[in-house]
Amino acid sequence: MSRHVLSLLVEDKPGLLTRVAGLFARRGFNIESLAVGVTEVPGLSRITVVVDVEGLPLEQVTKQLNKLINVIKIVELDASTSVQREHVLVKVRADNATRSNVLEVVNLFRASVVDYAPDAIVIEITGDSGKVGAFLKAIEPFGVKELAQSGLLAVGRGGKSITERVLRG
């Protein structure tokens, strides 16, 4: 199996996300990560999907996604030619005895404390999958009380944009 990051430019229409996810589900593909948001063009959204599949079945799903009327463009983003980031909020146990050690880890990974309580700290970190994974492993011994992680966000490197290509035709 191999990891693939797909960026879909779609019309912002109700039910489209369900149809997109359904295509992956019908093929038995597990979606590892899914992020959806508006773009710089009103009426268009970007769906970033991360799946672990072999090449040929992914090609079949991509062809079927292209057949959906509200899907404008699909681009596979390679790690070397794109910027890929995740965003995590994690609540960690931090009492008087451990707080300074937790803050050392926060500083080491250039994370931020976004909320403080006498028995816990909420930390925000943004970075590539490797950085986020290493941070979570380093903070785990202190006791993770709660975790919220975004889906992977990705854009291609350089001056070209997926929406420019579509708008120019």
Side-chain angles (χ1 to χ4, degrees):
M1 296 270 188
S2 58
R3 184 173 187 254
H4 298 272
V5 178
L6 299 177
S7 181
L8 288 70
L9 186 64
V10 300
E11 293 177 7
D12 193 8
K13 301 289 182 185
L16 181 61
L17 182 58
T18 302
R19 292 195 308 271
V20 168
L23 280 174
F24 287 98
R26 283 192 295 277
R27 293 284 178 274
F29 298 156
N30 184 42
I31 296 174
E32 286 185 8
S33 170
L34 180 68
V36 184
V38 298
T39 67
E40 68 281 7
V41 179
L44 296 182
S45 294
R46 179 187 306 262
I47 301 173
T48 306
V49 183
V50 180
V51 291
D52 224 359
V53 297
E54 293 300 326
L56 185 59
L58 181 64
E59 184 179 323
Q60 292 169 352
V61 171
T62 302
K63 286 179 182 178
Q64 289 181 331
L65 286 170
N66 273 316
K67 289 181 185 178
L68 293 176
I69 195 161
N70 302 113
V71 174
I72 309 296
K73 180 84 173 166
I74 302 171
V75 176
E76 184 168 0
L77 296 172
D78 184 72
S80 64
T81 59
S82 65
V83 177
Q84 301 181 1
R85 295 290 183 266
E86 293 182 23
H87 185 211
V88 176
L89 294 174
V90 60
K91 186 183 296 181
V92 179
R93 283 186 180 81
D95 56 20
N96 289 335
T98 61
R99 184 168 289 109
S100 63
N101 292 336
V102 171
L103 293 175
E104 282 182 38
V105 174
V106 168
N107 290 331
L108 178 66
F109 283 90
R110 295 188 179 106
S112 301
V113 173
V114 294
D115 189 54
Y116 169 88
D119 61 342
I121 295 175
V122 177
I123 303 160
E124 174 182 46
I125 185 164
T126 302
D128 63 29
S129 299
K131 176 183 177 180
V132 169
F135 172 77
L136 292 175
K137 189 173 182 177
I139 209 79
E140 186 178 13
F142 299 105
V144 173
K145 295 179 77 152
E146 196 170 354
L147 177 88
Q149 187 167 359
S150 75
L152 182 79
L153 297 175
V155 294
R157 292 187 185 275
K160 293 182 180 179
S161 107
I162 188 173
T163 51
E164 276 181 351
R165 291 180 232 162
V166 168
L167 296 176
R168 278 191 267 144

